[in-house]
Amino acid sequence: MHKLTDIDAPAAPQISFDQFLAVDIRIGTIVAAEPFPEARKPALKLVIDFGPAIGQKRSSAQITEHYETTSLVGRQVAAVVNFPPRQIGKFMSEVLTLGFPDKHGHVVLFKPDHEVPDGARVF
């Protein structure tokens, strides 16, 4: 997780558009959410549906400060779908769910203001 001091950091070095396109950011709908008590830092286990081309993927997300499992099902979120899976305890996290830190450093999920088709790619 980034530190609050990142807010004051300058922009990262410039990259090419092709480098940007290499990061596959998609919208999906959370279809299941449950506590992840085994995680070192408080987290939730999510199952996110990215539509027929990508399917359902699992994600560990440190979002317990602002979100409860019951309020997440049906919510659209953005995630990076082409990072290698990451083992977190006994859980395999397949995508990186995206968010921004609030003023206390707690994750606020990134989502579109209008519903879009699951699997839609950012551009």
Side-chain angles (χ1 to χ4, degrees):
M1 180 190 298
H2 295 283
K3 297 180 173 93
L4 283 177
T5 56
D6 288 350
I7 293 168
D8 297 324
Q14 288 186 351
I15 61 172
S16 71
F17 190 68
D18 287 340
Q19 288 172 307
F20 169 72
L21 290 177
V23 180
D24 193 352
I25 301 171
R26 304 284 182 120
I27 289 295
T29 299
I30 298 173
V31 295
E34 63 182 73
F36 189 5
E38 307 86 8
R40 278 184 281 156
K41 294 182 180 179
L44 298 177
K45 295 178 188 178
L46 307 176
V47 177
I48 306 168
D49 185 356
F50 293 97
I54 296 173
Q56 293 185 358
K57 299 290 181 180
R58 300 180 336 151
S59 180
S60 170
Q62 295 174 3
I63 57 174
T64 58
E65 289 294 328
H66 291 300
Y67 305 97
E68 294 183 18
T69 56
T70 55
S71 67
L72 289 168
V73 174
R75 178 191 180 102
Q76 287 195 304
V77 292
V80 176
V81 299
N82 67 331
F83 283 157
R86 186 171 174 203
Q87 188 76 43
I88 301 173
K90 294 182 179 183
F91 183 77
M92 183 64 73
S93 187
E94 300 171 295
V95 299
L96 175 65
T97 305
L98 300 177
F100 294 94
D102 68 10
K103 65 182 180 178
H104 302 291
H106 304 129
V107 178
V108 176
L109 291 171
F110 179 78
K111 72 171 197 162
D113 346 346
H114 301 282
E115 189 172 323
V116 297
D118 287 335
R121 187 173 181 173
V122 73
F123 61 84

mmCIF file of all heavy atoms in Angstrom, residues 12 18 28-29 40 47 51 57 81 83 91 94 114-116:
data_model
loop_
_atom_site.group_PDB
_atom_site.id
_atom_site.type_symbol
_atom_site.label_atom_id
_atom_site.label_comp_id
_atom_site.label_asym_id
_atom_site.label_seq_id
_atom_site.Cartn_x
_atom_site.Cartn_y
_atom_site.Cartn_z
ATOM 1 N N ALA A 12 5.108 9.969 -11.553
ATOM 2 C CA ALA A 12 6.087 8.959 -11.947
ATOM 3 C C ALA A 12 6.678 9.335 -13.309
ATOM 4 O O ALA A 12 6.083 10.133 -14.051
ATOM 5 C CB ALA A 12 5.422 7.589 -12.012
ATOM 6 N N ASP A 18 1.901 2.352 -25.202
ATOM 7 C CA ASP A 18 1.961 0.888 -25.254
ATOM 8 C C ASP A 18 2.242 0.293 -23.874
ATOM 9 O O ASP A 18 1.697 -0.758 -23.531
ATOM 10 C CB ASP A 18 3.016 0.413 -26.254
ATOM 11 C CG ASP A 18 2.573 0.624 -27.699
ATOM 12 O OD1 ASP A 18 1.355 0.765 -27.942
ATOM 13 O OD2 ASP A 18 3.454 0.644 -28.584
ATOM 14 N N GLY A 28 -15.403 -5.178 -13.117
ATOM 15 C CA GLY A 28 -16.109 -6.404 -12.781
ATOM 16 C C GLY A 28 -17.090 -6.147 -11.656
ATOM 17 O O GLY A 28 -17.013 -5.114 -10.982
ATOM 18 N N THR A 29 -17.995 -7.071 -11.466
ATOM 19 C CA THR A 29 -18.985 -6.972 -10.402
ATOM 20 C C THR A 29 -18.652 -7.981 -9.312
ATOM 21 O O THR A 29 -18.436 -9.172 -9.604
ATOM 22 C CB THR A 29 -20.402 -7.241 -10.947
ATOM 23 O OG1 THR A 29 -20.702 -6.249 -11.938
ATOM 24 C CG2 THR A 29 -21.440 -7.164 -9.834
ATOM 25 N N ARG A 40 -2.427 -11.103 7.263
ATOM 26 C CA ARG A 40 -1.627 -10.346 8.227
ATOM 27 C C ARG A 40 -2.233 -8.977 8.508
ATOM 28 O O ARG A 40 -2.237 -8.512 9.630
ATOM 29 C CB ARG A 40 -0.188 -10.180 7.742
ATOM 30 C CG ARG A 40 0.667 -11.393 8.035
ATOM 31 C CD ARG A 40 2.084 -11.168 7.635
ATOM 32 N NE ARG A 40 2.154 -11.351 6.180
ATOM 33 C CZ ARG A 40 3.064 -10.831 5.393
ATOM 34 N NH1 ARG A 40 4.000 -10.077 5.884
ATOM 35 N NH2 ARG A 40 3.043 -11.046 4.103
ATOM 36 N N VAL A 47 -14.773 -12.284 -4.786
ATOM 37 C CA VAL A 47 -14.898 -12.965 -6.072
ATOM 38 C C VAL A 47 -15.547 -11.946 -6.987
ATOM 39 O O VAL A 47 -16.618 -11.417 -6.679
ATOM 40 C CB VAL A 47 -15.746 -14.252 -5.990
ATOM 41 C CG1 VAL A 47 -15.892 -14.883 -7.371
ATOM 42 C CG2 VAL A 47 -15.124 -15.242 -5.006
ATOM 43 N N GLY A 51 -17.083 -10.870 -16.634
ATOM 44 C CA GLY A 51 -17.756 -11.193 -17.883
ATOM 45 C C GLY A 51 -17.240 -12.470 -18.501
ATOM 46 O O GLY A 51 -16.315 -13.109 -17.998
ATOM 47 N N LYS A 57 -12.795 -14.025 -10.972
ATOM 48 C CA LYS A 57 -11.447 -14.048 -10.398
ATOM 49 C C LYS A 57 -11.538 -13.679 -8.925
ATOM 50 O O LYS A 57 -12.432 -12.962 -8.494
ATOM 51 C CB LYS A 57 -10.522 -13.043 -11.116
ATOM 52 C CG LYS A 57 -10.340 -13.310 -12.592
ATOM 53 C CD LYS A 57 -9.524 -14.546 -12.834
ATOM 54 C CE LYS A 57 -9.317 -14.785 -14.313
ATOM 55 N NZ LYS A 57 -8.526 -15.962 -14.569
ATOM 56 N N VAL A 81 -6.163 -7.191 -14.226
ATOM 57 C CA VAL A 81 -6.439 -8.620 -14.416
ATOM 58 C C VAL A 81 -5.265 -9.396 -15.017
ATOM 59 O O VAL A 81 -5.358 -10.609 -15.172
ATOM 60 C CB VAL A 81 -7.714 -8.839 -15.263
ATOM 61 C CG1 VAL A 81 -8.932 -8.246 -14.574
ATOM 62 C CG2 VAL A 81 -7.560 -8.283 -16.669
ATOM 63 N N PHE A 83 -1.837 -9.212 -13.846
ATOM 64 C CA PHE A 83 -0.686 -9.464 -12.978
ATOM 65 C C PHE A 83 -0.661 -10.957 -12.669
ATOM 66 O O PHE A 83 -1.718 -11.607 -12.653
ATOM 67 C CB PHE A 83 -0.804 -8.703 -11.659
ATOM 68 C CG PHE A 83 -0.499 -7.231 -11.735
ATOM 69 C CD1 PHE A 83 -1.009 -6.372 -10.781
ATOM 70 C CD2 PHE A 83 0.298 -6.688 -12.724
ATOM 71 C CE1 PHE A 83 -0.742 -5.012 -10.818
ATOM 72 C CE2 PHE A 83 0.572 -5.333 -12.780
ATOM 73 C CZ PHE A 83 0.050 -4.502 -11.816
ATOM 74 N N PHE A 91 -4.685 -18.300 0.467
ATOM 75 C CA PHE A 91 -5.579 -17.742 -0.554
ATOM 76 C C PHE A 91 -4.768 -17.275 -1.760
ATOM 77 O O PHE A 91 -3.749 -16.598 -1.600
ATOM 78 C CB PHE A 91 -6.342 -16.565 0.051
ATOM 79 C CG PHE A 91 -7.357 -15.936 -0.848
ATOM 80 C CD1 PHE A 91 -8.584 -16.532 -1.063
ATOM 81 C CD2 PHE A 91 -7.109 -14.726 -1.475
ATOM 82 C CE1 PHE A 91 -9.539 -15.941 -1.877
ATOM 83 C CE2 PHE A 91 -8.040 -14.123 -2.290
ATOM 84 C CZ PHE A 91 -9.269 -14.732 -2.491
ATOM 85 N N GLU A 94 -5.956 -13.423 -7.553
ATOM 86 C CA GLU A 94 -5.724 -13.480 -8.993
ATOM 87 C C GLU A 94 -5.732 -12.113 -9.672
ATOM 88 O O GLU A 94 -5.234 -11.979 -10.792
ATOM 89 C CB GLU A 94 -6.798 -14.346 -9.653
ATOM 90 C CG GLU A 94 -6.816 -15.768 -9.128
ATOM 91 C CD GLU A 94 -8.004 -16.546 -9.627
ATOM 92 O OE1 GLU A 94 -9.150 -16.190 -9.267
ATOM 93 O OE2 GLU A 94 -7.780 -17.509 -10.396
ATOM 94 N N HIS A 114 -21.312 5.307 -13.588
ATOM 95 C CA HIS A 114 -22.451 4.638 -14.216
ATOM 96 C C HIS A 114 -22.063 3.185 -14.450
ATOM 97 O O HIS A 114 -20.899 2.875 -14.693
ATOM 98 C CB HIS A 114 -22.810 5.292 -15.560
ATOM 99 C CG HIS A 114 -23.156 6.738 -15.440
ATOM 100 N ND1 HIS A 114 -24.366 7.179 -14.981
ATOM 101 C CD2 HIS A 114 -22.425 7.847 -15.699
ATOM 102 C CE1 HIS A 114 -24.371 8.507 -14.973
ATOM 103 N NE2 HIS A 114 -23.205 8.931 -15.399
ATOM 104 N N GLU A 115 -23.062 2.317 -14.421
ATOM 105 C CA GLU A 115 -22.782 0.905 -14.659
ATOM 106 C C GLU A 115 -22.281 0.713 -16.088
ATOM 107 O O GLU A 115 -22.784 1.338 -17.026
ATOM 108 C CB GLU A 115 -24.044 0.073 -14.437
ATOM 109 C CG GLU A 115 -23.775 -1.405 -14.458
ATOM 110 C CD GLU A 115 -24.972 -2.232 -14.042
ATOM 111 O OE1 GLU A 115 -25.704 -1.797 -13.142
ATOM 112 O OE2 GLU A 115 -25.153 -3.317 -14.626
ATOM 113 N N VAL A 116 -21.259 -0.120 -16.229
ATOM 114 C CA VAL A 116 -20.706 -0.466 -17.539
ATOM 115 C C VAL A 116 -20.658 -1.991 -17.632
ATOM 116 O O VAL A 116 -20.737 -2.679 -16.609
ATOM 117 C CB VAL A 116 -19.299 0.159 -17.748
ATOM 118 C CG1 VAL A 116 -19.380 1.667 -17.744
ATOM 119 C CG2 VAL A 116 -18.323 -0.313 -16.709
#
